[in-house]
């Protein structure tokens, strides 16, 4: 299974380079909820790959702390199209943390499904099928 997590809510970043924008408190809560929901659902990841941009890296670190998985920075998630199958090849169950519209386009590339991922939302793909698409409020309800 490949899990795709769009980075959570981030600051507007006035006067800051885009890559340095940090999560808001809402974004930190969304990230914790994503990790807690995945744990509650019994998801067992082997690795999490994240964009090097601060908001994505923080999202990955907070979510993965809840499920005890290692986070690796991968520049292919920094912005622009990416192939989830290529990134996940040989890595087992993987979570990819990135940006829009890249995350939604990655779901479409693999499954043919048109989706619009919300900040802090998750999609799960396997065998070219979209198995899960959850908004942050869905993840919050599961996380408790």
């Amino acid at each position: 299974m490949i899990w795709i997590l769009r980075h959570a809510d981030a600051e507007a970043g006035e006067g800051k380079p885009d890559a340095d924008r940090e999560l808001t408190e809402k974004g930190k809560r969304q990230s914790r909820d994503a990790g807690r929901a995945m744990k509650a659902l019994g998801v067992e990841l082997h690795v999490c790959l994240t964009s090097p941009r601060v908001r994505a890296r923080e999202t990955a670190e907070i979510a993965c702390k809840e499920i005890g998985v290692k986070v690796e920075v991968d520049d292919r998630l920094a912005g622009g199209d990416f192939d989830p199958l290529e990134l996940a090849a040989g890595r087992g169950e993987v979570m990819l943390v990135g940006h829009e519209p890249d995350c939604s386009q990655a779901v479409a590339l693999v499954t043919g499904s048109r989706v619009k991922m919300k900040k802090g939302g998750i999609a799960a793909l396997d065998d070219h099928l979209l198995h899960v698409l959850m908004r942050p409020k869905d993840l919050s309800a599961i996380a408790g």
Side-chain angles (χ1 to χ4, degrees):
M1 189 78 69
I2 300 171
W3 296 84
I4 299 177
L5 172 60
R6 181 181 174 191
H7 74 76
D9 191 66
E11 63 187 356
E14 288 87 7
K16 223 181 223 191
D18 181 65
D20 295 339
R21 290 173 41 217
E22 298 176 24
L23 292 180
T24 62
E25 286 306 312
K26 175 182 178 181
K28 291 175 185 175
R29 186 177 62 254
Q30 289 172 329
S31 301
R32 271 189 303 278
D33 287 348
R36 288 176 181 165
M38 292 180 79
K39 185 175 184 174
L41 292 170
V43 175
E44 294 184 14
L45 297 175
H46 293 97
V47 69
C48 173
L49 304 178
T50 184
S51 161
R53 294 182 184 195
V54 173
R55 60 193 179 274
R57 203 174 64 242
E58 288 179 338
T59 298
E61 289 167 354
I62 293 168
C64 288
K65 182 179 180 183
E66 297 294 329
I67 51 180
V69 71
K70 179 180 167 188
V71 176
E72 296 177 15
V73 172
D74 192 310
D75 290 337
R76 294 174 288 182
L77 293 165
D81 292 343
F82 65 88
D83 182 346
L85 299 176
E86 178 184 306
L87 285 166
R91 307 291 306 257
E93 193 130 340
V94 176
M95 182 162 67
L96 308 175
V97 182
H99 309 274
E100 274 297 285
D102 316 333
C103 290
S104 294
Q105 289 172 345
V107 171
L109 174 70
V110 174
T111 68
S113 300
R114 288 187 51 176
V115 300
K116 181 174 180 181
M117 295 197 55
K118 301 286 187 187
K119 289 179 185 170
I122 288 182
L125 323 172
D126 190 38
D127 196 27
H128 297 280
L129 296 174
L130 175 62
H131 288 267
V132 174
L133 182 63
M134 290 186 280
R135 302 165 297 181
K137 70 179 184 178
D138 303 322
L139 295 168
S140 179
I142 294 167

